[in-house]
Amino acid sequence: MTSAIVASGISKSFGEVEALKDLELDVPEGAFFVLLGPSGAGKTTTLRVIAGLEKPDMGSVHLTGIEATKATPAERDLAMVFQSYALYPKQTAAQNIASPLRARRMSKADIDAAVKRVSELLHIEPLLERKPSQMSGGEMQRVALGRALVRDPRAFLMDEPLTNLDLKLRVEMRTELTRIHRSLGRTFLYVTNDQVEAMSMADQVAVLRAGTVQQVGTPTEIYDHPANRWVATFVGSPRMNLLQCTANGRLEGKGWSLPNPGFGVQGDRPALLGVRSEDLSLDVRDEAAGLDGRVYAVEPLGDRTLVDIEVGDHRVVVKAPPTSRYAVGEQVRASVALDRVHLFDAGTESAIARR
Ligand SMILES: Nc1ncnc2c1ncn2[C@@H]1O[C@H](COP(=O)(O)OP(=O)(O)OP(=O)(O)O)[C@@H](O)[C@H]1O
Ligand SMILES: [Mg+2]
């Protein structure tokens, strides 16, 4: 498949701060590609380098196969939604949305029709005559999205465009954006620090940490086969449980021991066992592969109950059915779905493969 955007070997420093270190990204044409990472990871800097708003110290940018490292932002023909909205304060929402079209001297009738179309898509028709000072953060954010979507660029770059929406609207907009992406058939490079957004919308996710891509894959690949400890604990809620152990024929930790389900290790290897909370169950009795512990806390969340148990000197979270009744201090056994556990090298923190 052709690549819409390729960034290779990008490095960018701001004084002492190395924002991007040898960053590699390859965004396929037409993809909904999500760049996921915590605050400060370099997500905005990556978008700005691709958009031509920031000059990289090293590396190159190719757009649909053509070198664009030195191209001006206008030549790149990318529409960007800024994290800070960047709306014109003296213009109404309608005028803000229309601004990229006015710059191209489209007829008033065509502009009006285009503004109407995107404002319907984004459910912002009632806001069209308001100025930014008369809108909430979430409303401004949707107008900023509208201003990008009104164009027909080579690709859309979106920098955390849903962060200021309340939960209900954010969930709604996730569905809308997926739908808009499908109907436009254009490449979306979408930045977020919210893993739920990444998992729910992306065809492909690149996980960014401290200016370096840690892993690229489909949401399922990243969730089910995290490349290292950092990705494993960054993606998923509650966080993946990690238990120090020695891996050999068995995985042995302080106060627990499990059969090694096929991880390729030689000698006694210091490692970290990774178990997601949904891969533990308190309902199975007499299971051979289990962790014995004592209930430390119980957190009912409506659709499920999180049970914290103490196993040796580790705290382990189990996702239990909402009907679960456990008492603090109770002795329990958490059976482990061994085919779904992860093992990371204690030193390099990279995932250890199964044989
Ligand atoms: N113009 C700048 N001058 C100095 N440092 C900068 C500048 N822009 C970014 N940085 C630094 O570069 C790093 C990456 O910043 P960037 O804005 O790309 O992160 P981000 O992933 O977008 O974070 P957030 O999720 O908080 O928006 C940070 O350490 C930041 O402080
Ligand atoms: Mg940012």
Side-chain angles (χ1 to χ4, degrees):
M1 203 193 296
T2 45
S3 299
I5 303 167
V6 178
S8 6
I10 303 281
S11 295
K12 175 74 191 175
S13 293
F14 298 102
E16 297 286 282
V17 183
E18 258 192 296
L20 302 178
K21 296 169 208 161
D22 203 16
L23 175 109
E24 300 285 337
L25 267 191
D26 186 337
V27 182
E29 189 76 57
F32 199 131
F33 193 103
V34 172
L35 190 56
L36 171 69
S39 185
K43 304 181 299 293
T44 298
T45 307
T46 305
L47 285 196
R48 289 177 59 83
V49 165
I50 291 169
L53 300 168
E54 205 79 71
K55 191 175 149 331
D57 301 331
M58 271 199 288
S60 66
V61 175
H62 284 75
L63 299 173
T64 51
I66 300 161
E67 160 100 61
T69 320
K70 298 215 167 78
T72 64
E75 286 163 354
R76 298 184 193 211
D77 189 27
L78 303 165
M80 180 144 169
V81 183
F82 293 91
Q83 196 170 3
S84 57
Y85 331 130
L87 294 177
Y88 300 113
K90 293 196 173 138
Q91 296 187 0
T92 64
Q95 288 165 335
N96 265 287
I97 294 171
S99 60
L101 302 182
R102 277 203 311 273
R104 295 163 181 230
R105 299 167 192 224
M106 258 168 83
S107 77
K108 177 156 189 322
D110 287 349
I111 291 179
D112 288 349
V115 170
K116 183 161 182 291
R117 178 179 59 82
V118 298
S119 50
E120 280 170 10
L121 273 180
L122 297 168
H123 312 299
I124 48 176
E125 298 105 309
L127 306 176
L128 285 177
E129 294 317 312
R130 290 199 216 163
K131 292 190 176 153
S133 60
Q134 301 163 314
M135 288 186 259
S136 72
E139 290 167 345
M140 285 192 272
Q141 216 160 19
R142 276 179 292 157
V143 171
L145 255 174
R147 186 174 56 183
L149 291 172
V150 80
R151 288 182 48 197
D152 184 23
R154 197 197 294 256
F156 293 94
L157 311 181
M158 303 186 175
D159 197 354
E160 314 210 24
L162 305 185
T163 40
N164 278 299
L165 308 186
D166 60 46
L167 186 60
K168 178 171 168 288
L169 198 52
R170 204 172 339 149
V171 172
E172 229 175 87
M173 286 297 298
R174 287 209 292 260
T175 317
E176 286 300 305
L177 275 179
T178 318
R179 211 173 48 78
I180 292 170
H181 170 254
R182 216 171 289 139
S183 73
L184 294 178
R186 281 281 183 277
T187 309
F188 279 29
L189 175 52
Y190 185 103
V191 158
T192 182
N193 60 33
D194 178 347
Q195 39 130 346
V196 178
E197 257 180 38
M199 301 304 277
S200 61
M201 296 194 293
D203 311 319
Q204 283 219 68
V205 182
V207 186
L208 191 68
R209 175 200 190 188
T212 318
V213 174
Q214 301 281 305
Q215 186 173 4
V216 182
T218 64
T220 319
E221 281 163 2
I222 297 209
Y223 192 81
D224 290 342
H225 305 286
N228 56 44
R229 171 205 174 135
W230 191 85
V231 173
T233 50
F234 183 66
V235 174
S237 175
R239 239 169 76 105
M240 184 187 283
N241 297 297
L242 291 175
L243 296 104
Q244 282 172 354
C245 66
T246 307
N248 199 341
R250 291 182 71 80
L251 311 173
E252 311 252 9
K254 211 172 184 182
W256 61 273
S257 170
L258 292 171
N260 179 347
F263 291 109
V265 287
Q266 276 161 354
D268 286 339
R269 184 154 168 193
L272 288 164
L273 171 72
V275 192
R276 293 209 185 274
S277 59
E278 66 267 30
D279 298 327
L280 289 164
S281 166
L282 300 175
D283 297 334
V284 189
R285 304 264 168 241
D286 307 320
E287 181 67 46
L291 303 171
D292 292 306
R294 197 180 286 280
V295 175
Y296 179 83
V298 180
E299 196 184 343
L301 294 178
D303 60 337
R304 70 213 128 106
T305 292
L306 299 182
V307 184
D308 273 34
I309 59 175
E310 274 179 327
V311 176
D313 48 10
H314 288 291
R315 193 83 58 70
V316 169
V317 181
V318 180
K319 212 180 261 183
T323 48
S324 309
R325 294 282 173 274
Y326 292 98
V328 171
E330 193 178 334
Q331 193 70 35
V332 289
R333 182 172 178 80
S335 66
V336 181
L338 276 180
D339 55 329
R340 297 193 47 87
V341 301
H342 309 265
L343 196 67
F344 305 100
D345 185 273
T348 65
E349 304 196 339
S350 294
I352 296 171
R354 288 171 194 253
R355 272 195 285 263

